[in-house]
Amino acid sequence: MPPLPPTKEYGILEPAAKRLGLHPFQIAMARNSIPYNGRGPCMRCRWCDGYVCETDAKNGTQNTVIPIALNTGNCELRTECTVKEILTDDRGRARGVAYFDENGHLQEQLADIVIVSASATESARLLLNSKSTLFPNGLGNRYDQVGRNLQGHQYSGATGYFPFDTYDDIGPGACIAICDYNHGTPGMIGGGMLDNQFIRLPVSMIDRLPPGTPRWDKDISRECAIGISGPSASTGRVSRFPPQKHASRLIQRCATSGECLWCAPPATCTLLPMTMARCRPNAPRPGSKKPERFKPFSR
């Protein structure tokens, strides 16, 4: 489908980048720009980043590939489950997984093929938990590198001020980028993508206005920021989950009773909503309406 129509910022940055000999492009946003598969197009609101889409235009596995797979009759979706470890045979080949079901009971699922696709942190955590005689330090961790060199998602940036309005309050946010400095930049280890930032409310510019600018004026919206996003050097490492015998209980207590085993006392825990989201991505935050979700097939 075509990209979303350009914003004011795109109209400023695209010709400027070309004048500098750079190679700007429109960012793939994983959002419907036109009606597709029974779902509407992006409504261009400012609340895109970090919020639920009001028109279901954001694309994710929950509204694309999973429904299609379920409709074939050959796919079973088991929700509220946590994989404990990958099981291997005496030759070291994966033969299935052990997991805690929605009731906290340990189950086994054998398989010809096991796909590890659980993000940078959870994939590493799962491999480290999958210990056996052939893999005493975790599956695929012969050289003790699994989970190491975890890279952050740091942002640094610059703000440019113009004698004309640059802000049109049209989402979904970042729309143009360059990757000319992604690799091989002299004097820099690594690199990153340059792109315009997501929607900023005019009030967010209060603390970064040029000297003499009125504290509240239409000039506050005369702002165009280019954010630099890319990997940062890090010594962080993914470690194993809390002991497996507590894993299902941890998820159940965090998500249903609001009790958190990560810190104490729970009544003063400021991270509880984040912990709940981490334990069960579909769990409602306190005071919110429980979202609709797929129900597991009977088995």
Side-chain angles (χ1 to χ4, degrees):
M1 61 183 69
L4 291 166
T7 62
K8 269 189 176 182
E9 291 187 2
Y10 183 94
I12 297 170
L13 296 174
E14 195 261 354
K18 287 185 175 180
R19 287 196 298 269
L20 293 173
L22 303 175
H23 304 84
F25 57 90
Q26 289 178 291
I27 302 173
M29 300 295 288
R31 294 160 177 81
N32 288 357
S33 60
I34 58 176
Y36 183 74
N37 275 359
R39 294 182 292 112
C42 173
M43 60 187 288
R44 311 298 301 274
C45 75
R46 65 161 70 128
W47 310 116
C48 190
D49 186 31
Y51 296 90
V52 174
C53 181
E54 297 180 41
T55 61
D56 202 24
K58 281 187 182 181
N59 292 292
T61 55
Q62 82 286 350
N63 59 7
T64 55
V65 293
I66 290 179
I68 293 174
L70 292 175
N71 288 336
T72 66
N74 298 319
C75 175
E76 179 181 346
L77 180 65
R78 301 180 187 177
T79 62
E80 300 184 41
C81 299
T82 300
V83 178
K84 171 180 177 284
E85 62 181 322
I86 299 171
L87 305 174
T88 56
D89 59 22
D90 54 6
R91 296 181 300 166
R93 297 177 62 88
R95 63 180 183 86
V97 298
Y99 70 96
F100 294 101
D101 63 20
E102 69 273 19
N103 297 313
H105 299 146
L106 187 61
Q107 307 281 359
E108 286 191 4
Q109 175 62 60
L110 302 182
D112 295 326
I113 299 175
V114 177
I115 299 174
V116 181
S117 178
S119 80
T121 53
E122 286 301 288
S123 293
R125 188 273 306 173
L126 180 58
L127 293 173
L128 290 172
N129 278 346
S130 303
K131 295 185 176 183
S132 64
T133 302
L134 293 177
F135 303 101
N137 297 317
L139 194 59
N141 195 31
R142 177 181 177 183
Y143 297 103
D144 195 32
Q145 291 298 307
V146 172
R148 290 191 183 276
N149 306 308
L150 183 65
Q151 294 181 330
H153 194 58
Q154 303 291 340
Y155 287 91
S156 59
T159 303
Y161 297 90
F162 299 81
F164 50 84
D165 287 340
T166 65
Y167 181 76
D168 52 13
D169 200 36
I170 295 177
C175 61
I176 182 172
I178 60 172
C179 282
D180 296 77
Y181 305 108
N182 204 21
H183 299 287
T185 304
M188 178 184 298
I189 299 176
M193 177 186 76
L194 293 173
D195 68 281
N196 65 318
Q197 294 182 347
F198 279 88
I199 293 293
R200 287 90 52 207
L201 298 179
V203 70
S204 67
M205 299 301 297
I206 286 291
D207 63 345
R208 62 185 75 176
L209 293 174
T213 304
R215 296 295 292 173
W216 184 258
D217 187 88
K218 68 176 183 178
D219 288 335
I220 295 176
S221 68
R222 294 180 176 178
E223 174 266 328
C224 187
I226 299 178
I228 302 174
S229 59
S232 62
S234 173
T235 57
R237 184 180 188 181
V238 178
S239 59
R240 297 179 62 212
F241 202 71
Q244 289 93 333
K245 65 179 180 179
H246 298 308
S248 63
R249 192 65 61 188
L250 168 67
I251 293 170
Q252 183 180 11
R253 290 172 67 178
C254 281
T256 60
S257 67
E259 209 172 336
C260 179
L261 300 183
W262 291 73
C263 53
T268 61
C269 177
T270 59
L271 298 178
L272 182 58
M274 181 180 69
T275 305
M276 290 173 61
R278 176 171 54 187
C279 291
R280 278 177 56 190
N282 291 316
R285 292 182 180 274
S288 64
K289 182 179 178 181
K290 185 176 181 180
E292 296 180 3
R293 59 200 312 271
F294 291 110
K295 294 182 179 180
F297 279 65
S298 60
R299 52 188 180 277

